[in-house]
């Protein structure tokens, strides 16, 4: 059974940093691209970033302006999102999803940016 | 970026009746490889999104056959043949043809009348 479990969310002050993790199981992690999608409170879905299986290709939403970094550790079956210079507009539930097309999603982790 | 426009944004439906959601894109979603990367997602209240349909009309594993997807080019439709109570939630279309970025529609909220 495919499982994706996000962690690392929480309350952070504006300008702060946070690192999200996504633990994957139930499939051969290294053979799949992975994606982060976020959802602001009461809003729709927004694609954030994706990474290929071997980390050869990294993709980001232009709106992030270089503040976020996606990475993965295939030995640990884990996906990461390093988020810097956070603002209130980054407040959202962050989901990790398998593949560029999002065939499986985790339960999400809430990031709240507030002073 | 490709803009995805869904309609309606709110969809009240009587149990057992059909439902239809439209999604149009600002550009053709036919990829140079011949595929059309248009997916549909369901998000039930308080839950994560779940993919229902990929590449326009292919149902994901475990998705009831009352859900179907159709369309081509810039116009796509998700149909539910007979709405059940468990279908309540928000439905999103997403394109991954002109990627990055993947872009989502604003969502259609399905509720029971």
């Amino acid at each position: 059974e495919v499982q994706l479990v996000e962690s690392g969310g929480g309350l952070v002050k504006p300008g702060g940093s946070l690192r999200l993790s996504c633990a994957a199981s139930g499939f051969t992690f290294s053979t799949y691209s992975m994606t982060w999608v976020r959802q602001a409170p009461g809003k729709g879905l927004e694609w954030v970033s994706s990474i290929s299986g071997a980390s050869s290709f990294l993709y980001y939403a232009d709106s992030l302006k270089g503040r976020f970094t996606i990475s993965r550790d295939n030995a640990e079956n884990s996906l990461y999102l390093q988020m810097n210079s956070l603002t209130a507009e980054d407040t959202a539930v962050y989901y990790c999803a398998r593949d560029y097309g999002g065939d499986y999603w985790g339960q999400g982790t809430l990031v709240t940016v507030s002073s | 970026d490709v803009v995805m426009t869904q309609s309606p944004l709110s969809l009240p439906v009587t149990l057992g009746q059909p439902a239809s959601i439209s999604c149009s894109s600002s550009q053709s979603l036919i990829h140079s490889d011949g595929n059309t990367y248009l997916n549909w997602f369901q998000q039930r209240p308080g839950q994560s999104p779940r993919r229902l349909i990929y590449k326009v009309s292919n149902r994901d594993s475990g998705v009831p056959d009352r859900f179907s997807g159709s369309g081509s080019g810039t116009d796509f439709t998700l149909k539910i043949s007979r709405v059940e109570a468990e279908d309540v939630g928000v439905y999103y279309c997403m394109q991954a043809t002109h990627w990055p970025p993947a872009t989502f529609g604003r969502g259609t909220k399905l509720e029971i009348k």
Side-chain angles (χ1 to χ4, degrees):
Chain A
E1 178 195 4
V2 172
Q3 285 200 325
L4 299 169
V5 180
E6 301 92 336
S7 60
L11 176 63
V12 60
K13 289 182 167 51
S17 298
L18 215 52
R19 188 194 196 206
L20 305 183
S21 300
C22 172
S25 60
F27 64 101
T28 305
F29 182 69
S30 62
T31 65
Y32 284 87
S33 59
M34 296 294 294
T35 292
W36 287 101
V37 175
R38 69 183 181 182
Q39 186 171 35
K43 302 296 185 182
L45 302 171
E46 179 187 15
W47 176 80
V48 171
S49 181
S50 294
I51 185 169
S52 60
S55 303
S56 304
F57 301 99
L58 312 181
Y59 304 98
Y60 298 97
D62 288 344
S63 61
L64 300 179
K65 297 179 183 176
R67 299 181 296 118
F68 290 12
T69 302
I70 191 171
S71 62
R72 63 191 295 162
D73 184 336
N74 287 343
E76 295 293 327
N77 291 340
S78 293
L79 173 72
Y80 305 102
L81 187 68
Q82 177 68 42
M83 305 186 298
N84 299 329
S85 303
L86 288 163
T87 73
E89 285 65 46
D90 297 315
T91 293
V93 174
Y94 286 74
Y95 297 101
C96 70
R98 192 179 76 165
D99 198 60
Y100 298 133
D103 58 353
Y104 289 92
W105 295 56
Q107 86 290 348
T109 187
L110 176 62
V111 173
T112 303
V113 184
S114 175
S115 55
Chain B
D1 298 351
V2 176
V3 176
M4 306 298 289
T5 303
Q6 286 184 233
S7 65
L9 297 183
S10 178
L11 183 57
V13 184
T14 301
L15 285 173
Q17 292 301 301
S20 179
I21 300 170
S22 296
C23 176
S24 64
S25 57
S26 59
Q27 303 176 39
S28 172
L29 297 186
I30 303 173
H31 193 276
S32 56
D33 66 8
N35 290 306
T36 299
Y37 296 99
L38 185 284
N39 300 340
W40 288 96
F41 297 87
Q42 174 196 60
Q43 187 173 31
R44 291 170 171 156
Q47 295 188 14
S48 307
R50 167 200 184 193
R51 198 176 72 179
L52 299 175
I53 302 285
Y54 63 96
K55 288 194 286 185
V56 181
S57 59
N58 298 277
R59 265 192 309 275
D60 274 279
S61 176
V63 174
D65 61 6
R66 63 179 183 276
F67 289 93
S68 64
S70 63
S72 63
T74 62
D75 294 296
F76 305 92
T77 303
L78 176 70
K79 291 183 179 177
I80 309 173
S81 59
R82 295 172 305 279
V83 169
E84 298 187 6
E86 66 178 19
D87 300 334
V88 165
V90 181
Y91 292 80
Y92 297 92
C93 59
M94 183 205 85
Q95 72 80 27
T97 294
H98 302 285
W99 183 95
T103 49
F104 292 89
R106 290 179 57 192
T108 294
K109 186 173 185 179
L110 186 149
E111 61 180 23
I112 305 300
K113 273 186 195 174

